[in-house]
Each structure stands twice: as structure tokens, then as C-alpha cells.
mmCIF file of all heavy atoms in Angstrom:
data_model
loop_
_atom_site.group_PDB
_atom_site.id
_atom_site.type_symbol
_atom_site.label_atom_id
_atom_site.label_comp_id
_atom_site.label_asym_id
_atom_site.label_seq_id
_atom_site.Cartn_x
_atom_site.Cartn_y
_atom_site.Cartn_z
ATOM 1 N N PHE A 1 9.094 -11.866 -0.193
ATOM 2 C CA PHE A 1 10.188 -11.327 -1.002
ATOM 3 C C PHE A 1 11.005 -12.519 -1.483
ATOM 4 O O PHE A 1 11.759 -13.114 -0.714
ATOM 5 C CB PHE A 1 11.020 -10.377 -0.141
ATOM 6 C CG PHE A 1 11.916 -9.447 -0.915
ATOM 7 C CD1 PHE A 1 11.554 -8.938 -2.144
ATOM 8 C CD2 PHE A 1 13.134 -9.067 -0.373
ATOM 9 C CE1 PHE A 1 12.377 -8.068 -2.838
ATOM 10 C CE2 PHE A 1 13.970 -8.190 -1.047
ATOM 11 C CZ PHE A 1 13.591 -7.692 -2.284
ATOM 12 N N LEU A 2 10.860 -12.879 -2.751
ATOM 13 C CA LEU A 2 11.398 -14.131 -3.273
ATOM 14 C C LEU A 2 12.412 -13.871 -4.374
ATOM 15 O O LEU A 2 12.334 -12.867 -5.082
ATOM 16 C CB LEU A 2 10.262 -14.998 -3.829
ATOM 17 C CG LEU A 2 9.010 -15.152 -2.965
ATOM 18 C CD1 LEU A 2 7.971 -15.993 -3.695
ATOM 19 C CD2 LEU A 2 9.351 -15.768 -1.622
ATOM 20 N N GLY A 3 13.334 -14.808 -4.536
ATOM 21 C CA GLY A 3 14.314 -14.710 -5.607
ATOM 22 C C GLY A 3 15.421 -15.722 -5.412
ATOM 23 O O GLY A 3 15.667 -16.183 -4.295
ATOM 24 N N PRO A 4 16.123 -16.081 -6.492
ATOM 25 C CA PRO A 4 17.246 -17.010 -6.374
ATOM 26 C C PRO A 4 18.387 -16.402 -5.563
ATOM 27 O O PRO A 4 18.395 -15.199 -5.272
ATOM 28 C CB PRO A 4 17.677 -17.233 -7.837
ATOM 29 C CG PRO A 4 16.578 -16.690 -8.683
ATOM 30 C CD PRO A 4 15.898 -15.636 -7.869
ATOM 31 N N ASN A 5 19.366 -17.228 -5.226
ATOM 32 C CA ASN A 5 20.565 -16.713 -4.568
ATOM 33 C C ASN A 5 21.202 -15.636 -5.440
ATOM 34 O O ASN A 5 21.327 -15.794 -6.657
ATOM 35 C CB ASN A 5 21.584 -17.841 -4.337
ATOM 36 C CG ASN A 5 21.113 -18.832 -3.301
ATOM 37 O OD1 ASN A 5 20.348 -18.506 -2.420
ATOM 38 N ND2 ASN A 5 21.581 -20.074 -3.416
ATOM 39 N N GLY A 6 21.593 -14.530 -4.812
ATOM 40 C CA GLY A 6 22.235 -13.462 -5.554
ATOM 41 C C GLY A 6 21.291 -12.509 -6.256
ATOM 42 O O GLY A 6 21.740 -11.611 -6.981
ATOM 43 N N ALA A 7 19.995 -12.667 -6.031
ATOM 44 C CA ALA A 7 19.026 -11.805 -6.703
ATOM 45 C C ALA A 7 19.047 -10.382 -6.171
ATOM 46 O O ALA A 7 18.649 -9.445 -6.865
ATOM 47 C CB ALA A 7 17.615 -12.391 -6.565
ATOM 48 N N GLY A 8 19.487 -10.199 -4.912
ATOM 49 C CA GLY A 8 19.528 -8.879 -4.316
ATOM 50 C C GLY A 8 18.611 -8.710 -3.126
ATOM 51 O O GLY A 8 18.428 -7.594 -2.634
ATOM 52 N N LYS A 9 18.053 -9.802 -2.620
ATOM 53 C CA LYS A 9 17.092 -9.706 -1.512
ATOM 54 C C LYS A 9 17.752 -9.184 -0.237
ATOM 55 O O LYS A 9 17.269 -8.238 0.377
ATOM 56 C CB LYS A 9 16.448 -11.083 -1.257
ATOM 57 C CG LYS A 9 15.750 -11.699 -2.455
ATOM 58 C CD LYS A 9 15.026 -12.994 -2.105
ATOM 59 C CE LYS A 9 15.942 -14.064 -1.529
ATOM 60 N NZ LYS A 9 17.029 -14.461 -2.471
ATOM 61 N N THR A 10 18.846 -9.811 0.164
ATOM 62 C CA THR A 10 19.504 -9.402 1.409
ATOM 63 C C THR A 10 20.058 -7.989 1.288
ATOM 64 O O THR A 10 19.966 -7.195 2.230
ATOM 65 C CB THR A 10 20.621 -10.399 1.760
ATOM 66 O OG1 THR A 10 20.030 -11.668 2.091
ATOM 67 C CG2 THR A 10 21.430 -9.922 2.957
ATOM 68 N N THR A 11 20.614 -7.644 0.136
ATOM 69 C CA THR A 11 21.101 -6.276 -0.077
ATOM 70 C C THR A 11 19.969 -5.275 0.082
ATOM 71 O O THR A 11 20.122 -4.227 0.724
ATOM 72 C CB THR A 11 21.730 -6.146 -1.472
ATOM 73 O OG1 THR A 11 22.851 -7.020 -1.566
ATOM 74 C CG2 THR A 11 22.186 -4.719 -1.728
ATOM 75 N N THR A 12 18.812 -5.594 -0.478
ATOM 76 C CA THR A 12 17.649 -4.709 -0.363
ATOM 77 C C THR A 12 17.261 -4.524 1.095
ATOM 78 O O THR A 12 17.028 -3.395 1.555
ATOM 79 C CB THR A 12 16.455 -5.282 -1.144
ATOM 80 O OG1 THR A 12 16.799 -5.392 -2.528
ATOM 81 C CG2 THR A 12 15.230 -4.389 -1.008
ATOM 82 N N LEU A 13 17.187 -5.603 1.843
ATOM 83 C CA LEU A 13 16.785 -5.504 3.240
ATOM 84 C C LEU A 13 17.824 -4.751 4.069
ATOM 85 O O LEU A 13 17.467 -4.003 4.986
ATOM 86 C CB LEU A 13 16.548 -6.900 3.825
ATOM 87 C CG LEU A 13 15.420 -7.716 3.182
ATOM 88 C CD1 LEU A 13 15.162 -8.983 3.993
ATOM 89 C CD2 LEU A 13 14.147 -6.909 3.057
ATOM 90 N N ARG A 14 19.082 -4.925 3.760
ATOM 91 C CA ARG A 14 20.119 -4.177 4.487
ATOM 92 C C ARG A 14 20.030 -2.688 4.176
ATOM 93 O O ARG A 14 20.279 -1.853 5.051
ATOM 94 C CB ARG A 14 21.501 -4.734 4.131
ATOM 95 C CG ARG A 14 21.764 -6.102 4.751
ATOM 96 C CD ARG A 14 23.108 -6.662 4.332
ATOM 97 N NE ARG A 14 23.353 -7.951 4.978
ATOM 98 C CZ ARG A 14 24.386 -8.747 4.695
ATOM 99 N NH1 ARG A 14 25.266 -8.383 3.778
ATOM 100 N NH2 ARG A 14 24.535 -9.897 5.321
ATOM 101 N N CYS A 15 19.682 -2.350 2.943
ATOM 102 C CA CYS A 15 19.456 -0.935 2.617
ATOM 103 C C CYS A 15 18.250 -0.393 3.386
ATOM 104 O O CYS A 15 18.289 0.707 3.942
ATOM 105 C CB CYS A 15 19.239 -0.765 1.119
ATOM 106 S SG CYS A 15 20.716 -0.969 0.099
ATOM 107 N N CYS A 16 17.176 -1.169 3.408
ATOM 108 C CA CYS A 16 15.952 -0.705 4.070
ATOM 109 C C CYS A 16 16.133 -0.548 5.574
ATOM 110 O O CYS A 16 15.443 0.258 6.203
ATOM 111 C CB CYS A 16 14.804 -1.672 3.784
ATOM 112 S SG CYS A 16 14.238 -1.663 2.079
ATOM 113 N N SER A 17 17.048 -1.301 6.156
ATOM 114 C CA SER A 17 17.292 -1.202 7.590
ATOM 115 C C SER A 17 18.336 -0.150 7.935
ATOM 116 O O SER A 17 18.568 0.125 9.116
ATOM 117 C CB SER A 17 17.750 -2.560 8.134
ATOM 118 O OG SER A 17 19.016 -2.906 7.604
ATOM 119 N N GLY A 18 18.973 0.426 6.917
ATOM 120 C CA GLY A 18 19.997 1.429 7.164
ATOM 121 C C GLY A 18 21.395 0.874 7.331
ATOM 122 O O GLY A 18 22.319 1.627 7.630
ATOM 123 N N LEU A 19 21.586 -0.419 7.132
ATOM 124 C CA LEU A 19 22.912 -1.018 7.269
ATOM 125 C C LEU A 19 23.793 -0.749 6.054
ATOM 126 O O LEU A 19 25.019 -0.766 6.151
ATOM 127 C CB LEU A 19 22.799 -2.525 7.494
ATOM 128 C CG LEU A 19 22.143 -2.955 8.808
ATOM 129 C CD1 LEU A 19 22.000 -4.469 8.858
ATOM 130 C CD2 LEU A 19 22.953 -2.463 9.996
ATOM 131 N N LEU A 20 23.175 -0.537 4.888
ATOM 132 C CA LEU A 20 23.900 -0.167 3.679
ATOM 133 C C LEU A 20 23.372 1.168 3.183
ATOM 134 O O LEU A 20 22.175 1.448 3.297
ATOM 135 C CB LEU A 20 23.716 -1.224 2.581
ATOM 136 C CG LEU A 20 24.391 -2.583 2.784
ATOM 137 C CD1 LEU A 20 24.075 -3.498 1.604
ATOM 138 C CD2 LEU A 20 25.887 -2.435 2.962
ATOM 139 N N ARG A 21 24.254 1.966 2.609
ATOM 140 C CA ARG A 21 23.867 3.272 2.090
ATOM 141 C C ARG A 21 23.380 3.125 0.647
ATOM 142 O O ARG A 21 23.982 2.420 -0.162
ATOM 143 C CB ARG A 21 25.053 4.232 2.147
ATOM 144 C CG ARG A 21 24.736 5.659 1.726
ATOM 145 C CD ARG A 21 25.918 6.562 1.968
ATOM 146 N NE ARG A 21 26.245 6.616 3.390
ATOM 147 C CZ ARG A 21 27.316 7.239 3.875
ATOM 148 N NH1 ARG A 21 28.181 7.813 3.043
ATOM 149 N NH2 ARG A 21 27.537 7.259 5.180
ATOM 150 N N LEU A 22 22.319 3.826 0.330
ATOM 151 C CA LEU A 22 21.751 3.776 -1.015
ATOM 152 C C LEU A 22 22.626 4.521 -2.014
ATOM 153 O O LEU A 22 23.250 5.519 -1.685
ATOM 154 C CB LEU A 22 20.368 4.425 -1.026
ATOM 155 C CG LEU A 22 19.254 3.775 -0.203
ATOM 156 C CD1 LEU A 22 17.985 4.592 -0.344
ATOM 157 C CD2 LEU A 22 19.020 2.356 -0.639
ATOM 158 N N ASP A 23 22.617 4.049 -3.265
ATOM 159 C CA ASP A 23 23.194 4.815 -4.361
ATOM 160 C C ASP A 23 22.187 5.837 -4.892
ATOM 161 O O ASP A 23 22.558 6.901 -5.381
ATOM 162 C CB ASP A 23 23.614 3.878 -5.500
ATOM 163 C CG ASP A 23 24.734 2.939 -5.080
ATOM 164 O OD1 ASP A 23 25.702 3.417 -4.465
ATOM 165 O OD2 ASP A 23 24.628 1.743 -5.348
ATOM 166 N N ALA A 24 20.901 5.471 -4.819
ATOM 167 C CA ALA A 24 19.842 6.354 -5.305
ATOM 168 C C ALA A 24 18.531 5.890 -4.703
ATOM 169 O O ALA A 24 18.431 4.785 -4.175
ATOM 170 C CB ALA A 24 19.767 6.325 -6.835
ATOM 171 N N GLY A 25 17.521 6.763 -4.800
ATOM 172 C CA GLY A 25 16.190 6.376 -4.350
ATOM 173 C C GLY A 25 15.902 6.782 -2.922
ATOM 174 O O GLY A 25 16.681 7.510 -2.289
ATOM 175 N N GLU A 26 14.778 6.301 -2.401
ATOM 176 C CA GLU A 26 14.320 6.693 -1.078
ATOM 177 C C GLU A 26 13.635 5.521 -0.394
ATOM 178 O O GLU A 26 12.948 4.732 -1.040
ATOM 179 C CB GLU A 26 13.337 7.866 -1.186
ATOM 180 C CG GLU A 26 12.897 8.423 0.162
ATOM 181 C CD GLU A 26 11.991 9.630 0.020
ATOM 182 O OE1 GLU A 26 11.090 9.606 -0.842
ATOM 183 O OE2 GLU A 26 12.192 10.602 0.784
ATOM 184 N N ILE A 27 13.819 5.442 0.908
ATOM 185 C CA ILE A 27 13.163 4.428 1.734
ATOM 186 C C ILE A 27 12.340 5.151 2.784
ATOM 187 O O ILE A 27 12.849 6.004 3.511
ATOM 188 C CB ILE A 27 14.191 3.505 2.399
ATOM 189 C CG1 ILE A 27 14.891 2.653 1.334
ATOM 190 C CG2 ILE A 27 13.534 2.611 3.449
ATOM 191 C CD1 ILE A 27 16.133 1.978 1.821
ATOM 192 N N VAL A 28 11.060 4.813 2.856
ATOM 193 C CA VAL A 28 10.141 5.424 3.821
ATOM 194 C C VAL A 28 9.527 4.317 4.662
ATOM 195 O O VAL A 28 8.998 3.344 4.114
ATOM 196 C CB VAL A 28 9.034 6.234 3.118
ATOM 197 C CG1 VAL A 28 8.086 6.844 4.144
ATOM 198 C CG2 VAL A 28 9.647 7.321 2.239
ATOM 199 N N ILE A 29 9.626 4.444 5.975
ATOM 200 C CA ILE A 29 9.088 3.440 6.897
ATOM 201 C C ILE A 29 8.025 4.112 7.755
ATOM 202 O O ILE A 29 8.333 4.996 8.555
ATOM 203 C CB ILE A 29 10.202 2.853 7.785
ATOM 204 C CG1 ILE A 29 11.278 2.195 6.909
ATOM 205 C CG2 ILE A 29 9.617 1.828 8.761
ATOM 206 C CD1 ILE A 29 12.509 1.778 7.677
ATOM 207 N N ALA A 30 6.779 3.706 7.544
ATOM 208 C CA ALA A 30 5.653 4.245 8.310
ATOM 209 C C ALA A 30 5.657 5.772 8.305
ATOM 210 O O ALA A 30 5.495 6.409 9.346
ATOM 211 C CB ALA A 30 5.665 3.706 9.737
ATOM 212 N N GLY A 31 5.876 6.340 7.119
ATOM 213 C CA GLY A 31 5.815 7.784 6.964
ATOM 214 C C GLY A 31 7.093 8.531 7.270
ATOM 215 O O GLY A 31 7.137 9.762 7.140
ATOM 216 N N ARG A 32 8.148 7.838 7.666
ATOM 217 C CA ARG A 32 9.420 8.483 8.015
ATOM 218 C C ARG A 32 10.501 8.098 7.003
ATOM 219 O O ARG A 32 10.771 6.915 6.794
ATOM 220 C CB ARG A 32 9.866 8.071 9.414
ATOM 221 C CG ARG A 32 8.846 8.393 10.500
ATOM 222 C CD ARG A 32 8.801 9.882 10.793
ATOM 223 N NE ARG A 32 7.880 10.196 11.874
ATOM 224 C CZ ARG A 32 7.900 11.322 12.575
ATOM 225 N NH1 ARG A 32 8.792 12.241 12.292
ATOM 226 N NH2 ARG A 32 7.020 11.530 13.538
ATOM 227 N N ALA A 33 11.107 9.094 6.371
ATOM 228 C CA ALA A 33 12.164 8.852 5.392
ATOM 229 C C ALA A 33 13.452 8.467 6.113
ATOM 230 O O ALA A 33 13.924 9.193 6.989
ATOM 231 C CB ALA A 33 12.386 10.083 4.529
ATOM 232 N N LEU A 34 14.017 7.348 5.736
ATOM 233 C CA LEU A 34 15.200 6.833 6.426
ATOM 234 C C LEU A 34 16.381 7.796 6.325
ATOM 235 O O LEU A 34 17.129 7.977 7.291
ATOM 236 C CB LEU A 34 15.582 5.466 5.851
ATOM 237 C CG LEU A 34 16.752 4.733 6.491
ATOM 238 C CD1 LEU A 34 16.487 4.443 7.959
ATOM 239 C CD2 LEU A 34 17.047 3.436 5.748
ATOM 240 N N ALA A 35 16.559 8.454 5.181
ATOM 241 C CA ALA A 35 17.706 9.339 5.001
ATOM 242 C C ALA A 35 17.579 10.613 5.832
ATOM 243 O O ALA A 35 18.573 11.118 6.356
ATOM 244 C CB ALA A 35 17.863 9.700 3.517
ATOM 245 N N ARG A 36 16.354 11.129 5.963
ATOM 246 C CA ARG A 36 16.164 12.409 6.647
ATOM 247 C C ARG A 36 15.852 12.254 8.137
ATOM 248 O O ARG A 36 16.155 13.138 8.936
ATOM 249 C CB ARG A 36 15.033 13.190 5.970
ATOM 250 C CG ARG A 36 15.347 13.598 4.545
ATOM 251 C CD ARG A 36 14.304 14.565 4.003
ATOM 252 N NE ARG A 36 12.978 13.977 3.956
ATOM 253 C CZ ARG A 36 12.523 13.261 2.925
ATOM 254 N NH1 ARG A 36 13.312 13.047 1.880
ATOM 255 N NH2 ARG A 36 11.306 12.764 2.937
ATOM 256 N N GLU A 37 15.212 11.145 8.501
ATOM 257 C CA GLU A 37 14.834 10.913 9.894
ATOM 258 C C GLU A 37 15.243 9.496 10.302
ATOM 259 O O GLU A 37 14.401 8.647 10.558
ATOM 260 C CB GLU A 37 13.324 11.085 10.064
ATOM 261 C CG GLU A 37 12.794 12.449 9.642
ATOM 262 C CD GLU A 37 11.279 12.488 9.691
ATOM 263 O OE1 GLU A 37 10.643 11.950 8.759
ATOM 264 O OE2 GLU A 37 10.723 13.048 10.662
ATOM 265 N N PRO A 38 16.546 9.224 10.348
ATOM 266 C CA PRO A 38 16.992 7.837 10.544
ATOM 267 C C PRO A 38 16.538 7.214 11.856
ATOM 268 O O PRO A 38 16.141 6.040 11.873
ATOM 269 C CB PRO A 38 18.521 7.945 10.467
ATOM 270 C CG PRO A 38 18.825 9.386 10.752
ATOM 271 C CD PRO A 38 17.676 10.153 10.199
ATOM 272 N N LEU A 39 16.582 7.959 12.950
ATOM 273 C CA LEU A 39 16.191 7.368 14.229
ATOM 274 C C LEU A 39 14.689 7.095 14.268
ATOM 275 O O LEU A 39 14.248 6.049 14.745
ATOM 276 C CB LEU A 39 16.596 8.292 15.383
ATOM 277 C CG LEU A 39 18.101 8.444 15.609
ATOM 278 C CD1 LEU A 39 18.356 9.377 16.792
ATOM 279 C CD2 LEU A 39 18.757 7.094 15.849
ATOM 280 N N GLU A 40 13.894 8.047 13.776
ATOM 281 C CA GLU A 40 12.443 7.867 13.772
ATOM 282 C C GLU A 40 12.039 6.713 12.856
ATOM 283 O O GLU A 40 11.141 5.929 13.182
ATOM 284 C CB GLU A 40 11.750 9.158 13.325
ATOM 285 C CG GLU A 40 11.880 10.306 14.312
ATOM 286 C CD GLU A 40 13.180 11.079 14.129
ATOM 287 O OE1 GLU A 40 14.031 10.637 13.349
ATOM 288 O OE2 GLU A 40 13.322 12.132 14.784
ATOM 289 N N ALA A 41 12.697 6.601 11.695
ATOM 290 C CA ALA A 41 12.380 5.514 10.766
ATOM 291 C C ALA A 41 12.740 4.159 11.363
ATOM 292 O O ALA A 41 11.947 3.209 11.330
ATOM 293 C CB ALA A 41 13.106 5.730 9.442
ATOM 294 N N ARG A 42 13.950 4.065 11.939
ATOM 295 C CA ARG A 42 14.384 2.785 12.516
ATOM 296 C C ARG A 42 13.531 2.389 13.722
ATOM 297 O O ARG A 42 13.350 1.197 13.991
ATOM 298 C CB ARG A 42 15.854 2.866 12.921
ATOM 299 C CG ARG A 42 16.823 2.901 11.753
ATOM 300 C CD ARG A 42 18.249 2.723 12.257
ATOM 301 N NE ARG A 42 19.209 2.729 11.182
ATOM 302 C CZ ARG A 42 19.978 3.768 10.865
ATOM 303 N NH1 ARG A 42 19.862 4.899 11.550
ATOM 304 N NH2 ARG A 42 20.854 3.689 9.888
#
């Protein structure tokens, strides 16, 4: 996952880990949707 400073990499990873709330879209980790099954996804 590459990009210059400020590209949005860390923000993306914080969203994927559940540390930041999404404005839109969906994150699925190994078949578990983070929004609907947060403990199972994490």
C-alpha cells in the first residue's frame, strides 16, 4: 500500500481496523462485515 505523505494510507488502515468511522462504503475482513459484525471482523 504505497503513496506520498498525506495520500490517505493511514486513514484507510484506521478505517479498516475500526478506529475511524466510515462516511460510506463497506469493509469486509475474511467474510465478516466490520459494521455489522465488529467483534468477529476484528
Side-chain angles (χ1 to χ4, degrees):
F1 197 34
L2 313 178
N5 291 333
K9 303 185 302 300
T10 293
T11 298
T12 299
L13 297 188
R14 288 177 178 173
C15 288
C16 291
S17 66
L19 294 176
L20 290 179
R21 184 173 298 174
L22 296 179
D23 295 314
E26 185 177 43
I27 292 165
V28 179
I29 301 171
R32 302 287 183 161
L34 183 61
R36 295 190 298 273
E37 302 174 282
L39 292 181
E40 292 85 352
R42 289 190 179 102

